[in-house]
Each structure stands twice: as C-alpha cells, then as structure tokens.
C-alpha cells in the first residue's frame, strides 16, 4: 500500500467537498480530494439559494462562470399549500440582507454545477483524483490521521493528513468514523419519488417562470422545478404512514401520485417523462431527513449529507452542504495557521452548523403543520428560505448582514474580514 501526506484530505467531490477543499487550498495548504465518480455525473437537488450563488460561490470565484450558463433564474418560490387553494409567492428581494443584484439564485443542472466547482478546485491547487473509492479512515489513538482509498485499478492507497473532511454523501463509508449515531427525524420519515419530464411542461407566469412550485396533496407534497432546455424536475414526497399503501411498482406509484394532484397533472399535461439516458431513471429515497449526533472528532469533520440532511421543501440541501463546508474550512484554516486550538475551532464549526440545520428543520416542520387558510408572511421566513438567516456576511451583502461574520453562537468566535478563518471576538 502506497502512502502520501497532505495537510487535508477530502472525501467526495460534490458541492460540500469541492467547497471545503478549495477554501483550504486557497490558503496555501496541500489538499487532496478523492471522488468515487468521474465527473460530470448525475445528481438530484437542482434548486440553489442566493447564499450559495452570491456567498459561497463568490468566495470560490465562480459567480461569473455561473452567470454564463443557461440555468433558469430563480427569484423565489411559489406554494400551493394546505387548505388555501390560491398559490402564493415568496420573493428573495423581500430580504434586507440581500441587495437588488443578489436577490436571485439558479435552478442548476447539477451535472454542470458540480463540475464547475470541481474544476475550480483543480485550478485553485487541489489535487483531485476521480474514480477512487474511499474505504476507511486511518487512526492514531483517539485521532483520525488520514484515510484509505482504492484507485480505478483496485490499487490500495493510504493518505496521511492533519484533517479528514468527509463530504461523501448520505451513503458515506466514513461518517461512522466520528462516532455517535445517525438520528432520523420522525416527523419526516417517508418516501421520495422523482423523475424528469421533457419539452411541453408548463411554466409559472413571468416573472416567476424560473421559480419552483411546491404543492400539497392528500398523501404529501410535490415539487416542480424548471430546468434548462425545457427539462423539469418533478418529485413526490409521501408521508411515512402512507408509504405501505403505494403500489409495489414504484413507476406505477409515481404515475398514480401525479394523477392525484390536479395542479401537477395540469402542468405535465403536455409533457412526457424522460425514460432513457441520464435523466431517465426514477429516483427513490427513503427516510431522507437526519443528523449525526456528532459532526466531528479529533482530526475529522463531516459536512454535507454525511453530516445531516433536511426535507427538501425549501431547497436547503446545497445551502447546508456549502455553508457547512465553509464553516469546516474556516476551522481547518485557523488551526493550520496556528491561530486557535483544534477544540475551540471545531466547536465553533459544529455549533454554527447545527444552528443552521436546526433553523431549517424547525421551519419546515412548522410549515408542514399548516392546515388552514393561513400562510406565513414572506418577511417572517424569507431570510431562511434564501439561506441568509445566520447574518453571516460571507453569505449576504445588504443592510441586514452583520460584519464580521454574523452573530456568534454562545461562547463563539467572529469571522475574519475575508470570511476564511475564525478570530477572537
């Protein structure tokens, strides 16, 4: 088994892994990123938030590249929810923490979005090895000191590093290495079925044609997300107690669920589901909302779906992944610079990450509980829906952003002016 040494080794090349690796490499540290797939590769979760587009991606240096794509512009979201029959909108421009030039995001093709971030990591000095599967961590006493992986030819490799960042997703082979357990949220136990529909699918009226639509029906709710070239992502989220009543044939179940929701049926009346190629597979996922009871141990942190995952109602997945990666990079950068001890820096990482995850989870649970005519006013939750609730200046620029780094958690730290490290407040 060959052995190498880096300052940091990252498992996973999705948004969380690419973000963490790039932000650490930009501080001059030696970073290796190991990714199982060869990019571009397919990934669900296309709807981004302004915090990622104008916050994290600005720090990474890819905002101009994103602007040159044909990703539909997302200015907010539309809901047809509970007993209220009329749809209503949430606009990002309602947040004082965003400026007129940052009050939007994209509905991104994840094959292209994730490839943009990974290629950027390479340009910023990250050593990237694709087609390599991580197999476990290297331990020295109580500390994680590296990881092992297999190359595309099956060769075994061992990498030693000061820190391991696990960003390898909800099926991570490493996450249990931090200890603790993965706790699933009982309120969100259920089943997600999703697929893609081609040309002919209807869009919301302008100027909301790029926005996603969320619609409740008897068994749960649907998402309807417009993508590039007339493609549309459609998903049904079924409540856990009703899953066993669905047909065993998931294709038939998906068709039946669409038929039960008049709004979605109408939008798809002239569109056909894609059944071939990279967008042709019906995607199925159960018990999708969870969090690990610890996000860290000495020498190792979890980010992205390796750490936690929320119900997709407010499209918070990529936001939580990239923000968690930013928090992890700040901690790693600070420790490697010798400015703070590891325990202090990682405590800040986990406290802020859990605070953000908890805010999303609580809002989503309250939103699902709405059954009457009422709906929350946009100003009461638009900051969270835009990913700028934390007040972290790195994620937003507006009157409501706090400098430096937003409000601290109890006993917490502040953020350096460049957003890349922690400093004593």
């Amino acid at each position: 088994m060959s052995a190498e040494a880096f300052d940091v080794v990252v498992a996973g090349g999705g948004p969380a892994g690419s973000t963490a690796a790039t932000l650490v490499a930009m501080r001059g540290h030696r970073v290796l990123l190991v990714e199982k797939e060869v990019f571009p590769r397919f990934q669900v979760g296309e709807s981004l938030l302004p915090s990622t587009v104008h916050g994290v991606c600005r720090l990474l240096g890819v905002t101009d590249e994103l602007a040159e794509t044909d990703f539909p512009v997302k200015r907010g979201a539309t809901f047809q929810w509970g007993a209220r029959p009329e749809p209503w909108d949430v606009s990002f421009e309602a947040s004082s923490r965003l400026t007129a030039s940052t009050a939007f995001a994209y509905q991104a093709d994840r094959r292209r979005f994730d490839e943009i971030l990974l290629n950027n990591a390479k340009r910023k000095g990250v050593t990237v090895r694709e087609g390599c599967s991580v197999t476990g961590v290297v331990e020295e006493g109580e500390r994680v000191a590296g990881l092992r992986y297999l190359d595309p030819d099956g060769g075994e490799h061992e990498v030693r590093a000061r820190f391991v960042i696990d960003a390898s997703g909800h099926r991570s082979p490493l996450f249990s290495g931090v200890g603790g357990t993965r706790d699933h949220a009982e309120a969100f136990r259920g089943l997600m079925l999703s697929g893609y529909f081609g040309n002919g699918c209807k869009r919301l009226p302008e100027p909301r044609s790029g926005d996603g639509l969320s619609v409740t029906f008897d068994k749960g709710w649907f998402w309807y997300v417009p993508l590039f070239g007339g493609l549309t992502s459609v998903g049904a989220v079924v409540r856990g107690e009703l899953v066993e009543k669905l047909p065993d044939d998931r294709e038939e179940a998906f068709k039946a669920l669409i038929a039960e929701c008049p709004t979605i049926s109408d939008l798809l009346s002239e569109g056909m589901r894609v059944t071939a190629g990279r967008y042709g597979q019906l995607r199925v996922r159960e018990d999708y909302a969870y969090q690990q009871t610890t996000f860290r141990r000495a020498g190792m942190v979890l980010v992205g779906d390796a750490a936690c995952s929320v119900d997709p109602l407010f499209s918070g997945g990529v936001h939580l992944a990239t923000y968690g990666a930013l928090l992890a990079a700040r901690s790693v950068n600070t420790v490697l610079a010798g400015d703070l001890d590891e325990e202090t820096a990682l405590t800040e990482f986990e406290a802020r990450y859990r605070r953000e995850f908890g805010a999303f989870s609580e809002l989503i649970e309250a939103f699902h509980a709405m059954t009457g005519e009422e709906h929350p006013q946009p100003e009461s939750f638009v900051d969270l829906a835009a990913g700028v609730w934390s007040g972290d200046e790195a994620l937003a620029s507006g009157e409501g952003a706090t400098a430096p780094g937003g409000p601290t958690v109890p006993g917490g730290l502040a953020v350096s002016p460049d957003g890349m490290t922690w400093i004593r407040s």
Side-chain angles (χ1 to χ4, degrees), residues 138-145 160 177 297-298:
V138 177
E139 297 179 310
E140 290 182 353
E142 297 299 316
R143 184 177 186 82
V144 172
R160 295 298 180 115
R297 64 177 282 195

Side-chain angles (χ1 to χ4, degrees), residues 33-46:
L33 185 151
V34 180
E35 163 57 41
K36 179 176 67 174
E37 305 291 341
V38 176
F39 279 38
R41 56 89 176 94
F42 176 86
Q43 184 66 33
V44 178
E46 299 87 357

